[in-house]
Amino acid sequence: KMRLNFGREGFIFFSFYRFQKIYPDNTIIEFPVILNQHKRKQKKRFPVKLIRFGMFETFQEYRQMGYNPEISDNFLLFIGYILPYKGLSILYDACELLEKERILNFKIVVAGKGYDPILPKLKANKHFILKNKYITNQEFVDLISSCKSVVCPYLSASQSGIPQVASIFSKPVIASNVGAFPEVIRTGKNGILIESANKEELAAAINKIMCDNQYYDNLSPQLLGADESFLYDWNFICNQYEDFFNEIVN
């Protein structure tokens, strides 16, 4: 028996170990960081196969239909289910620093369902546009294809699909150095990695991406994992799954 392992930190490990006790024969993990945490935490060794998760190319099927006219092309995007661990409070603090320096000349769009205590402050700030609702795939594509950059200031993480989507639309990602982000984001290549919960680093990274056009133009945001891009190719991934299934059957 086999289980595919998805999820975020906390729930992911609870579910992972529970499933492995019930279905211990074979488990697939998509990111090395989760595999390493599994090795550190699990005393009993269960069979685990590392097969990386590819880019979300299916989002290209959604044609850009247009977006809210209150948003210009020069905006920073936070998108996804909203929870406190995703660091919106740090994003707010970083943008306050930029505002004090009088270099905050763009909008920050926060789009997604969920709740964080910082949301009332975002709603009251003229630099933020809050779309606190369920985001359809079409709206997701409209926003991510129209923004200048995506930001993921997470305080903790296991894995996230945001970089896999951003790369499809050639958008650089500013992300915290947590979870699987370091495996797919390379500073100066397809985005910038910062220390988690560091508002100064986040402010500097946002300023670099949003205001330094030369730096922005030299990025290659369509690349994922830079030096290991073949690992995220779906043909390569499918071959790995096929080999793995054949091993099980045989």
Side-chain angles (χ1 to χ4, degrees):
K1 295 180 180 180
M2 183 193 67
R3 280 291 181 272
L4 303 182
N5 181 38
F6 300 92
R8 65 181 180 84
E9 194 173 23
F11 173 77
I12 186 174
F13 293 114
F14 172 80
S15 302
F16 178 58
Y17 298 135
R18 184 179 179 185
F19 283 145
Q20 281 212 312
K21 288 179 180 179
I22 302 173
Y23 307 100
D25 296 338
N26 294 283
T27 301
I28 292 175
I29 290 179
E30 293 82 17
F31 288 95
V33 63
I34 302 175
L35 180 61
N36 293 336
Q37 290 176 354
H38 160 72
K39 290 179 179 179
R40 289 198 304 268
K41 294 185 178 184
Q42 192 72 301
K43 294 180 180 179
K44 183 179 180 180
R45 292 290 184 263
F46 293 103
V48 174
K49 178 74 171 180
L50 173 64
I51 300 178
R52 285 173 171 81
F53 206 74
M55 294 186 285
F56 294 163
E57 297 168 343
T58 52
F59 279 101
Q60 290 177 317
E61 297 179 6
Y62 291 87
R63 185 170 60 88
Q64 185 179 349
M65 300 296 292
Y67 53 95
N68 197 314
E70 68 179 314
I71 310 173
S72 68
D73 289 336
N74 189 40
F75 70 91
L76 180 67
L77 177 64
F78 173 100
I79 194 164
Y81 201 88
I82 295 173
L83 289 168
Y85 84 92
K86 292 192 174 181
L88 276 177
S89 59
I90 304 301
L91 177 60
Y92 180 84
D93 290 343
C95 289
E96 277 201 322
L97 292 178
L98 294 175
E99 188 173 10
K100 289 179 181 178
E101 296 293 328
R102 300 176 183 262
I103 52 178
L104 189 55
N105 57 357
F106 51 86
K107 296 290 186 180
I108 304 97
V109 177
V110 175
K113 188 178 180 181
Y115 179 73
D116 186 310
I118 199 68
L119 291 187
K121 286 188 176 181
L122 301 187
K123 189 175 182 180
N125 190 301
K126 65 179 181 179
H127 296 291
F128 283 85
I129 296 174
L130 181 61
K131 296 179 177 292
N132 190 202
K133 66 183 186 69
Y134 171 76
I135 304 297
T136 66
N137 285 341
Q138 184 63 68
E139 290 172 316
F140 187 92
V141 169
D142 282 347
L143 287 166
I144 206 166
S145 61
S146 302
C147 73
K148 187 171 184 179
S149 178
V150 178
V151 62
C152 300
Y154 293 15
L155 303 178
S156 64
S158 55
Q159 61 193 60
S160 170
I162 297 298
Q164 278 85 342
V165 181
S167 64
I168 292 299
F169 295 98
S170 296
K171 303 298 179 179
V173 177
I174 302 167
S176 299
N177 189 18
V178 296
F181 285 122
E183 296 165 20
V184 292
I185 303 298
R186 302 287 191 272
T187 295
K189 297 287 187 179
N190 58 351
I192 297 178
L193 282 175
I194 62 160
E195 287 300 316
S196 176
N198 190 318
K199 63 182 180 181
E200 289 82 11
E201 276 196 26
L202 180 56
I206 291 173
N207 183 44
K208 194 79 171 173
I209 291 285
M210 298 299 292
C211 302
D212 188 338
N213 291 330
Q214 184 177 357
Y215 183 86
Y216 185 89
D217 292 340
N218 287 330
L219 295 172
S220 300
Q222 73 278 8
L223 299 179
L224 194 65
D227 301 329
E228 301 176 323
S229 57
F230 73 94
L231 295 174
Y232 304 94
D233 178 78
W234 283 112
N235 289 326
F236 179 76
I237 292 170
C238 288
N239 288 335
Q240 287 185 294
Y241 273 103
E242 186 175 0
D243 292 342
F244 183 63
F245 294 151
N246 285 333
E247 290 176 12
I248 296 174
V249 172
N250 295 330

